[in-house]
Amino acid sequence: MISRNRSGRRRSAALAFIVITVLVLNYAGLLSLPFSFEEPPQPDRPGFDLAPPCGPTLDHLRRSSYGLTRDIVYQKRCIRPVVDKKLDSQVVSQNPDALIKSGQIVQLDQACEGWTDSTCEPVTLRVPPPYPKQDYSGFLFGVATSLDRLNESMSQFESWLGNTHAQLLAVITDPGDESKYKQVTEQFRQRGIELSIKDPWNKAITSNEQHFAIVRDLLAHVTPKTQWTAIVDDDTFFPSLYPMSKILGKHDHKLPAYVGGLSENYDAVKHHGYMGFGGAGIFLSPALLRELDPHLEECLKVDHVPQGDGLLKQCIYSKTKTKLTVVKGLHQLDMGGDMSGFYESGRLPMTLHHWKSWHQAPVDKMVKISEFCGSCFLQRFAFGSDTVLTNGYSIVQYSAGLESVDLNKMEGSWEGAEGFDWSMSPMRSKMDRRLKKSYHLVDTEMVGKNIRQIYIHRLEDDIPGPDEKSKDPKKTPPKIEEMKDEVIELLWEL
């Protein structure tokens, strides 16, 4: 009698023989399997470190941070801004000329062959004036975070705090990095940020609770100059402090005041209540800090409120007579995924949040243009019959033309947008991405006295998804390794 073990070994050997035979035949091309062990083809994005030199006007396109394909479709337009003090930057500016043209194919790995440096075609655009220079030493911002996360956002903090004379107080929630405090403080100060770093006064509470406990730290750092304190997250971002300072200037900072923004997400408001959400920025007058300070220990004992924002709300409402003053434009941005509808809406935000987590946006690069023209950040310019430039964010070409798009409504492009009408209306439905060709901003920098913006359309956006049909089913789609990224460079001649 044959044992079960011996029988099992024979079956295993037979199965192994069959599998090996099939794989050999497939490799030899004598048999076709419905699947492949090979990696799917990838875009051709090589490094350019060893490539021959490009001309100085194109060499920046080889930066690894751009991640461009070997060959690109490139075009450049020069913007000649005209400052108009009476301009309403929330109104879409009309320009009859086309912005997007055919472009030239440039071989980035071959000394940028294919590019002829012709005269840059100028486009005249009306923009608002820059924000006036102002001293913000009356502002004290507080953030409770880890040292690593604080460092990660250094460039973004520099964008809105650098050389403003506003103070930044960081309470470091994770122990073990105390020896680095002095070095990090100096790095921030070299960027014009007046930073102070300290340990929590209460190390027994959670990181979330530190967002509330920082009230005592802020009060300890208030000076006779301080008019407003603010609790922010390490990814709270102000395009500029000027608009917020104008709003706060209408309030008496000598009285108790609690100023902030609600979440745009109704479920978040329903769950947490009517309160200022910390990612949007919460402004507290020193007078309110003084009222809260004696009650902090008691307020920290509230078991059913684990979040710092909620603890702050609970303590203010239970221990003082102060109520929340809501400011539109302070954005918590509790939304994920494609945020193009928000940024392309033409609405100027006071703050942005979750730009490095729930969605990705190079906010410090995006707002760079506002140094020259203030509220021109996210200002929209329509070109020809089908294109919109949202300054600092995107260039979009609508295949069905501008008449097919209601630019007065915000596109609900993010996940679960249907439930946001109460806070973001008027809204319109998410567009089929095949009807909307987008070039997104990846970089902004000064070139001499001018400003250069780089907008990129990634080839991946042209590949149909699993449930999408090709634009032209009869046409054989190009191989992904042969497809090209497209680049539009805007040079603002200042």
Side-chain angles (χ1 to χ4, degrees), residues 290-394:
R290 286 189 284 270
E291 284 192 14
L292 291 174
D293 185 63
H295 306 289
L296 295 190
E297 284 82 0
E298 181 183 353
C299 290
L300 280 167
K301 295 177 182 178
V302 179
D303 294 333
H304 63 280
V305 185
Q307 299 295 329
D309 304 347
L311 283 167
L312 181 63
K313 174 204 72 173
Q314 179 77 12
C315 203
I316 291 174
Y317 289 170
S318 64
K319 303 301 180 183
T320 79
K321 296 180 180 180
T322 304
K323 298 296 182 285
L324 176 66
T325 298
V326 175
V327 172
K328 288 186 176 181
L330 292 175
H331 285 291
Q332 174 73 9
L333 293 187
D334 284 335
M335 305 105 90
D338 177 9
M339 290 294 291
S340 61
F342 169 79
Y343 286 110
E344 293 167 356
S345 67
R347 305 176 196 179
L348 184 65
M350 298 286 181
T351 55
L352 301 169
H353 186 226
H354 286 148
W355 48 266
K356 64 176 180 178
S357 53
W358 292 30
H359 71 281
Q360 300 294 317
V363 288
D364 53 324
K365 304 289 188 181
M366 290 162 54
V367 303
K368 185 73 176 175
I369 191 67
S370 66
E371 295 178 11
F372 164 71
C373 48
S375 61
C376 72
F377 169 54
L378 301 183
Q379 182 181 354
R380 296 180 297 175
F381 303 89
F383 290 88
S385 61
D386 62 359
T387 303
V388 176
L389 161 66
T390 301
N391 196 7
Y393 182 74
S394 69

Side-chain angles (χ1 to χ4, degrees), residues 132-141 156-168 188-189 191-195 225 238-242:
K133 298 289 185 181
Q134 194 163 312
D135 184 347
Y136 296 99
S137 56
F139 285 83
L140 169 62
F141 293 90
Q156 289 74 27
F157 276 118
E158 179 186 8
S159 177
W160 61 272
L161 276 178
N163 301 311
T164 63
H165 302 295
Q167 307 292 309
L168 177 62
F188 271 71
R189 290 185 180 275
R191 293 176 177 241
I193 305 169
E194 299 182 23
L195 171 68
K225 281 187 175 182
F238 290 78
S240 171
L241 290 178
Y242 179 74

Side-chain angles (χ1 to χ4, degrees), residues 150-267:
L150 183 70
N151 261 328
E152 288 172 4
S153 297
M154 189 184 301
S155 295
Q156 289 74 27
F157 276 118
E158 179 186 8
S159 177
W160 61 272
L161 276 178
N163 301 311
T164 63
H165 302 295
Q167 307 292 309
L168 177 62
L169 171 65
V171 174
I172 303 304
T173 56
D174 296 346
D177 289 326
E178 291 80 3
S179 62
K180 301 177 183 177
Y181 287 1
K182 185 176 180 180
Q183 176 187 353
V184 172
T185 300
E186 181 57 30
Q187 290 172 345
F188 271 71
R189 290 185 180 275
Q190 287 176 1
R191 293 176 177 241
I193 305 169
E194 299 182 23
L195 171 68
S196 300
I197 298 179
K198 70 179 299 294
D199 291 334
W201 61 267
N202 184 344
K203 297 183 180 181
I205 60 178
T206 67
S207 296
N208 279 330
E209 291 168 328
Q210 297 293 355
H211 291 279
F212 165 65
I214 199 173
V215 163
R216 180 163 292 167
D217 300 298
L218 287 170
L219 182 59
H221 283 74
V222 165
T223 70
K225 281 187 175 182
T226 307
Q227 296 182 353
W228 291 98
T229 71
I231 299 175
V232 297
D233 286 355
D234 55 43
D235 59 347
T236 301
F237 184 84
F238 290 78
S240 171
L241 290 178
Y242 179 74
M244 194 63 210
S245 70
K246 295 291 288 183
I247 290 175
L248 291 175
K250 300 175 182 178
H251 298 267
D252 189 347
H253 64 273
K254 297 178 182 178
L255 300 177
Y258 172 35
V259 180
L262 302 173
S263 172
E264 301 83 1
N265 188 327
Y266 180 71
D267 288 338

Side-chain angles (χ1 to χ4, degrees), residues 14 63 78 99 112 146 152 171 180 249 280 308 311 344 351 383 396-397 415 421 432 434 448-449 460 469-470 474 485:
R63 292 173 183 169
C78 290
L99 179 65
C112 296
S146 68
E152 288 172 4
V171 174
K180 301 177 183 177
L311 283 167
E344 293 167 356
T351 55
F383 290 88
V396 176
Q397 191 171 40
E415 299 167 4
D421 294 77
D432 186 323
R434 292 167 293 180
K449 64 177 183 178
E460 287 85 350
K469 295 181 180 179
S470 175
K474 297 180 181 179
D485 290 331

Side-chain angles (χ1 to χ4, degrees), residues 388-426:
V388 176
L389 161 66
T390 301
N391 196 7
Y393 182 74
S394 69
I395 299 171
V396 176
Q397 191 171 40
Y398 296 95
S399 60
L402 294 178
E403 293 182 356
S404 67
V405 186
D406 188 347
L407 294 176
N408 294 314
K409 296 181 178 180
M410 181 184 292
E411 180 190 354
S413 60
W414 58 91
E415 299 167 4
E418 296 79 9
F420 284 76
D421 294 77
W422 78 281
S423 61
M424 309 299 270
S425 62

